[in-house]
Each structure stands twice: as structure tokens, then as C-alpha cells.
Amino acid sequence: MNPEKNFYNLIITGVGGQGNVLSSQLIGQAFVHKGYFTTIGETYGASQRGGSVMSHIRISSKKQQSPLIPKGKADIIVALEPVEALRVLTHYGNPETVVIVNTRPIYPVDVISGKEAYPEFAEIEKSLETLSRKVYYVSATDQAMEMGSPILGNMIMIGALLQVNLLPLSMEEFRQTLSKNFNGKRLETNLQALEQGKKMEFHI
């Protein structure tokens, strides 16, 4: 983390049902509690049918930003799906962008029906690494399924994001935000997933 940096452009992207909208709201809340100006802009594809969902989170210690990140200006992209990582990086990334990507693909209807082909992961990997400064690969869905629910992948990805120390937000500060939004078993499960993300060994 650059201590002199006073604003951050973060994109969380995935497909409908992966929980990236909730993730963006929780991160936004955590920064508001710290006194930062935080703006969230969301764009939806056909999310009910597994379409793209993208949240723009703009964080500043100085002033409120407009809701949408300009093309080529994303500092960090957290992608819950590999092809979505590449799609968003192509439009909003630059050679200094850092990408954290969940390695488990979600195949669109056209791929499942055989009308289109999903790219090989090696192709996605090569393109991501060519277009960005660094890529962290996280097997979040696999780990979430071992914990009992793939939806926990979003919290594992937040744990991974906080672990790489790209944002001025600590794990403990985010735990406090979770405790203000959840209770009981749901809080316990999300805290466990967050901790799992922190422990993940990255394939860089």
C-alpha cells in the first residue's frame, strides 16, 4: 500500500448471484466508518440469468468522487469469475492495475449449450498478466464449497484483498463492519470465510 495515496478505484466484478454487490456495500461501509468519502456505482447485465455485475467503489480521504470509474483508471480489480476479470481489466485497467481473481469459472448459457467456447484458463492467465501489474489467483469457490456454500466465495475474496494490503483497511476494521450487519450463525460463518481468505496461499 502506498501511504501517500489518498484515493483508490476498486472494481468488484462477477456474475449474478455471486454476492459482489453485497461485498461492495460492506467495503463501502467500512471506509465510511473510517471517515473516508466513498461512492459506489453498480452496473448490471442480465444478472438474474447469470449476467455480468460490476461494482465501482471509489474511496478518497479528500473528496467525494463521481460514481463510475473512468475507463483505464481502476487501481484494483477483484473478480469473482475469470472471464469477467479479463473483460473488466480490458476496459478499466492499466499497466499498474492489480487483479485478484477467483479461479473457478461460471459458464454462460451459450457455453453450456455449445454455441460458444469458454477460453482456456492459460489464455486468460496470459492476458491478465500482460495487461496488469500483478495478478493474484485465489481458489475461493473451491474453498467456499469445502466450507459448505459457494456464496462464501465473496467473503474469501475480501479476505484475500485485505491480506495483500492494497487498501488502507485492516482485517479487524472489516470484522467490525461485518458484526454491524450480521449476527449469530451468519456472522460466524462470514468471519470464518474472511479468515480463510486471509490464509489463502496465492498462486501468483
Side-chain angles (χ1 to χ4, degrees):
M1 182 178 66
N2 181 352
E4 297 181 356
K5 189 172 176 64
N6 56 38
F7 72 91
Y8 301 84
N9 287 328
L10 165 66
I11 293 178
I12 300 179
T13 185
V15 302
Q18 287 192 290
N20 57 312
V21 173
L22 175 61
S23 300
S24 66
Q25 291 171 347
L26 291 171
I27 290 174
Q29 280 186 36
F31 275 102
V32 168
H33 291 149
K34 286 195 70 170
Y36 280 76
F37 296 95
T38 306
T39 309
I40 300 175
E42 289 163 348
T43 66
Y44 299 86
S47 58
Q48 295 300 315
R49 298 188 295 275
S52 302
V53 181
M54 178 170 51
S55 300
H56 293 210
I57 308 165
R58 309 197 73 187
I59 303 154
S60 172
S61 61
K62 300 294 184 183
K63 63 179 182 178
Q64 202 82 38
Q65 305 286 320
S66 59
L68 296 181
I69 295 170
K71 289 187 177 181
K73 297 296 184 182
D75 298 306
I76 307 163
I77 295 171
V78 175
L80 304 180
E81 204 284 331
V83 163
E84 288 303 307
L86 184 56
R87 186 180 67 80
V88 172
L89 178 62
T90 301
H91 288 90
Y92 292 96
N94 62 70
E96 291 302 309
T97 301
V98 175
V99 181
I100 303 171
V101 57
N102 181 14
T103 54
R104 175 67 73 93
I106 294 180
Y107 300 117
V109 172
D110 284 348
V111 171
I112 295 171
S113 66
K115 292 180 181 177
E116 293 186 8
Y118 192 94
E120 295 291 334
F121 190 80
E123 296 176 38
I124 299 172
E125 189 177 31
K126 182 178 180 182
S127 297
L128 289 174
E129 292 172 7
T130 299
L131 296 170
S132 66
R133 176 162 64 90
K134 183 176 282 189
V135 185
Y136 296 93
Y137 300 96
V138 184
S139 55
T141 301
D142 295 344
Q143 195 63 42
M145 291 174 72
E146 288 182 15
M147 295 180 69
S149 173
I151 193 63
L152 293 172
N154 67 341
M155 205 53 59
I156 291 173
M157 291 297 287
I158 293 178
L161 168 66
L162 298 180
Q163 179 63 14
V164 297
N165 197 32
L166 296 172
L167 294 172
L169 182 67
S170 72
M171 198 71 72
E172 180 54 33
E173 288 165 337
F174 192 76
R175 288 191 193 100
Q176 292 172 12
T177 297
L178 284 181
S179 68
K180 292 173 182 170
N181 286 272
F182 304 131
N183 55 37
K185 182 65 177 176
R186 192 176 182 194
L187 173 61
E188 180 185 343
T189 304
N190 278 280
L191 287 172
Q192 289 172 353
L194 185 72
E195 193 66 24
Q196 190 60 43
K198 178 184 172 184
K199 293 177 181 175
M200 293 291 287
E201 293 184 4
F202 299 114
H203 164 214
I204 302 172

